[in-house]
Each structure stands twice: as C-alpha cells, then as structure tokens.
Amino acid sequence: MDGRLDRSTTLISTGCQSSYGREGAISDNRARRIIVNADDFGLSPAVNRGILAAHRRGILTSATLLANAPAFDQAVDLARAASSLGVGAHLNLVRGKPLSPPESIPLLVDGDGMLRRFRVGRLTAAFLDQAEREYRAQLNRIVKSGITPTHIDFEKHHAWQGPFYRLAVRLAGEFGIHAVRSLREPVAWSVRTLGWPGFSHLAMATFLRVGFDCGGGRGLARTPDRFLGQCHIGRMDETTWLRLAERLPPGTSEVMTHPGEEGEEAMGGSWLGSSRAVELAALLSPRVAEALRRNGVELITFAAL
C-alpha cells in the first residue's frame, strides 16, 4: 500500500440535491467524492515539480494551467507524462505578460504592457471584449499544446464578478469544456469543521461567495456540490486535511490547493511562499490518504462530472 487512493472516472448520477443546495452539479448523495485541484500549474518549475509529486505520490487529482506563465511549456510536458492528472485552464487577467498583443487589450494592461489588477466596478462592453480576447488566447494556447481542459477556474478568483463568469461559461461551451469552478464555499461549515482560518481569510471567502451569488454565477455551469479551500488558503496542512477526511459531507467537493517545492516564484511571486511546501507535505501524507480511504472518500477529476 503506497498511501494513494484509487482514482475513478465513473460518471456520477444526475439530478441530485446536495446538502448545500443545487449548484448545477451532478452528484450522488450516497457517496463522498473529492476533486483535489492545484492552482497555478506552470507558474514556476518549483510549483510544477510540487504538483507532479502531489499527483504521482499523493492525493492530488487535478491541476489548472496558467497559459501565460513562464513554466507553461514544462507543465504541459509534465501533464502529458501523467495521463491520470486532470488538467484545466486557470484563466488569468490580473498578472503577468498577456498572450494578446498589449495594444489590443489596453484596458487590461499597465504602461509596461503587463496584466494588472483592476478595480471592482462597472465593467464596460469594451473591457469585456478585451477580456474575451485574452481568455480566448489562453484557451487556444492550452488546446494547441495538446491538452483537453477538464474545467475552468480563475487566477485571484476575478470571476466572482458575474460578467466574467458568464463569459467564461460561454467560452467553456464553445471549447467543449463542461465544468467551471463555483466560488460558493460553505463558509460556516468550513470554519466549524476545519478550524478558525483567521479573519482576513474568512472575510475573503465570505466576500467571494456573496459576490458570486449577487453576480448571478450560481447554477450557470456544471460544478461540484461545494467548493472548499478558500477559507484555509495556504493553510491546508495535514491537520486540516485529517479533519476534512473525517467530516466531509456526502456529494462531490472540490478542494483548492497550492502545492509547490521550495523555490523562487515567477510573475511577481505571491504571499503563499513557504506555505506551498506545507500544502505539498499534506497532499503527500500517508495519514491523509489513509483517512480518506477509511472514510470511503473517492478521488476523482472534473472529467467525472
């Protein structure tokens, strides 16, 4: 026994209501299924190595590619060598060099032609047209690399704003991608079950869920029954995973993770830093794998939805 769970792509039956309400999900309430997804695939060689290790030797089942990241080509090569890893698209409008010519997306870039954080507010038709241009460029690069994306999610969760989410859902249909991440974390359950995450983490997870609902994202796309990991971003350590394994509700859950080996991050880095190694260690933990197995939790990818 190597501490890993058997990964299945058995289709989940349709038409069930989860304990947290219908999300456009497909689930079987008698079973506990989990998609363990790593964001930021392609960000750096250290992140890529961590993701591959977490899949080959741990419980990671899925990852999402940053198409405009410096280590994208390496990530694609690694994905091709790990056929059981589900690979999606991590759409990015907020950092790094765009794939579109900067002059074609002036509302998305700064004076150096780099993608920038944009303010929350009214999104004009011109802004959304430029966002669609960059989304298409990123999806096309992934598809042309030979990867068939299993799902879509978003860098810095920028699609909590409804127009971005609706745009991504439309493009998902066009590209034959059948799932898009929901940001509706059951915040009260996460805090009660997994522990206090800190006020800033709690506030952000709550903000994302409320913003996502107010923006009309709920029910637009096929999703798991629940999304987990924002409350405890950077804190999905072994203890947190053991609690999750014991108390995971029935249905299908996505758990967002950010594993990586120690090493320099690209694209300006992030606050996650050394927490990537902590999350990687948890994903590799035999105790976590055994707890999931003992509790009858099945590891799947988005392809199983």
Side-chain angles (χ1 to χ4, degrees):
M1 182 179 297
D2 64 0
R4 295 179 65 180
L5 281 76
D6 182 36
R7 295 185 174 85
S8 170
T9 55
T10 303
L11 289 177
I12 305 170
S13 63
T14 62
C16 296
Q17 182 79 11
S18 82
S19 56
Y20 292 100
R22 177 176 292 280
E23 282 286 327
I26 294 179
S27 65
D28 179 348
N29 277 345
R30 296 169 300 175
R32 293 173 179 168
R33 295 182 170 91
I34 194 169
I35 300 165
V36 186
N37 190 81
D39 291 8
D40 300 340
F41 200 22
L43 181 64
S44 70
V47 168
N48 290 349
R49 290 193 300 270
I51 288 173
L52 189 65
H55 176 65
R56 284 185 168 170
R57 298 189 281 117
I59 64 170
L60 189 79
T61 64
S62 176
T64 36
L65 272 168
L66 268 167
N68 71 323
F72 172 84
D73 289 335
Q74 182 197 46
V76 168
D77 289 341
L78 294 175
R80 287 172 178 160
S83 59
S84 56
L85 178 67
V87 180
H90 196 57
L91 296 182
N92 175 23
L93 295 179
V94 299
R95 65 168 171 160
K97 184 178 180 181
L99 297 184
S100 307
E103 62 272 16
S104 72
I105 52 169
L107 297 177
L108 304 185
V109 297
D110 61 20
D112 296 320
M114 305 294 282
L115 293 170
R116 60 178 176 174
R117 289 285 188 99
F118 42 83
R119 294 181 179 180
V120 175
R122 182 174 179 271
L123 299 174
T124 65
F127 195 104
L128 291 171
D129 285 345
Q130 293 177 29
E132 179 172 352
R133 181 187 297 270
E134 181 61 19
Y135 276 177
R136 284 186 180 277
Q138 293 178 19
L139 289 170
N140 279 323
R141 187 182 190 195
I142 292 171
V143 170
K144 288 178 180 178
S145 75
I147 300 293
T148 301
T150 57
H151 68 293
I152 288 173
D153 59 33
F154 308 91
E155 174 69 357
K156 308 302 182 188
H157 301 310
H158 65 269
W160 69 267
Q161 297 181 82
F164 289 124
Y165 196 79
R166 289 190 289 274
L167 171 58
V169 169
R170 175 165 61 82
L171 292 177
E174 186 177 319
F175 279 80
I177 303 168
H178 72 271
V180 183
R181 173 182 283 171
S182 165
L183 297 178
R184 303 191 71 251
E185 178 160 10
V187 177
W189 182 90
S190 292
V191 174
R192 184 173 63 251
T193 304
L194 305 180
W196 177 248
F199 179 77
S200 61
H201 286 62
L202 174 63
M204 179 56 70
T206 303
F207 171 82
L208 289 171
R209 173 165 181 157
V210 172
F212 184 77
D213 283 351
C214 290
R218 184 176 184 180
L220 288 181
R222 184 176 297 188
T223 71
D225 294 306
R226 65 194 62 84
F227 167 66
L228 303 171
Q230 179 59 41
C231 262
H232 295 79
I233 185 172
R235 303 184 182 191
M236 292 298 297
D237 58 14
E238 184 183 69
T239 299
T240 304
W241 268 102
L242 291 173
R243 291 171 180 162
L244 178 63
E246 295 292 337
R247 303 169 192 174
L248 186 72
T252 303
S253 304
E254 178 197 359
V255 180
M256 176 183 69
T257 68
H258 294 84
E261 294 183 353
E262 294 282 358
E264 182 179 355
E265 292 198 15
M267 298 173 71
S270 75
W271 65 270
L272 287 165
S274 60
S275 72
R276 290 188 184 275
V278 173
E279 292 208 0
L280 173 58
L283 296 172
L284 293 172
S285 167
R287 293 182 66 204
V288 171
E290 177 55 31
L292 291 169
R293 180 183 292 107
R294 185 174 63 251
N295 287 280
V297 178
E298 180 184 12
L299 290 176
I300 64 170
T301 72
F302 277 92
L305 293 183

